[in-house]
Amino acid sequence: DPADLIVLAEAYRVKGNTAEALKLFRFLEQGAYRDQAMYRQAQILLRRGQRSEGLKLLRQLVDEAKSSEWQSLAEETLAIERFNR
C-alpha cells in the first residue's frame, strides 16, 4: 500500500537510512505521492553532494507539481541552494 510505503520511506529518511529511503521514494514517484517523493529524493541527493541531480528534481517539481505545498517547498529550496553555490 503506497500510504504505508510513504510512512516507511519517511521513517528511513528521519533515521538516516538514506539508501533505503531513496529506493522507496523513487518507487513512489510513480503514484499519488509523486510530489513528496520527488522533493524527498532531491533533499537526500543534495545532502549527499549530488547537487545537479537534486536541483534537476527540484526544477522538475516546480514545473510539474500537482501539490502547491510541495511546489512551494521546491521553489524555496532552489532559492536557498542558489546562495549555497
Side-chain angles (χ1 to χ4, degrees):
D1 176 33
D4 293 334
L5 291 178
I6 196 73
V7 171
L8 183 59
E10 289 289 0
Y12 280 141
R13 183 185 64 83
V14 170
K15 292 288 188 182
N17 188 343
T18 57
E20 289 300 316
L22 202 52
K23 285 180 197 174
L24 285 173
F25 286 130
R26 285 184 173 143
F27 175 77
L28 289 163
E29 190 178 333
Q30 305 306 316
Y33 294 96
R34 177 183 180 273
D35 293 350
Q36 181 176 352
M38 286 180 69
Y39 182 79
R40 295 303 192 202
Q41 286 178 72
Q43 279 187 311
I44 291 168
L45 292 169
L46 289 169
R47 287 192 184 124
R48 286 181 165 187
Q50 294 171 275
R51 187 173 166 78
S52 63
E53 294 154 62
L55 294 176
K56 180 180 174 185
L57 279 174
L58 290 173
R59 286 187 203 100
Q60 185 180 354
L61 188 54
V62 167
D63 292 340
E64 302 171 5
K66 292 181 177 27
S67 163
S68 60
E69 175 187 353
W70 294 108
Q71 186 177 42
S72 293
L73 283 170
E75 288 171 345
E76 290 172 19
T77 304
L78 278 172
I80 291 166
E81 287 298 319
R82 285 189 190 104
F83 290 106
N84 292 338
R85 287 187 204 179

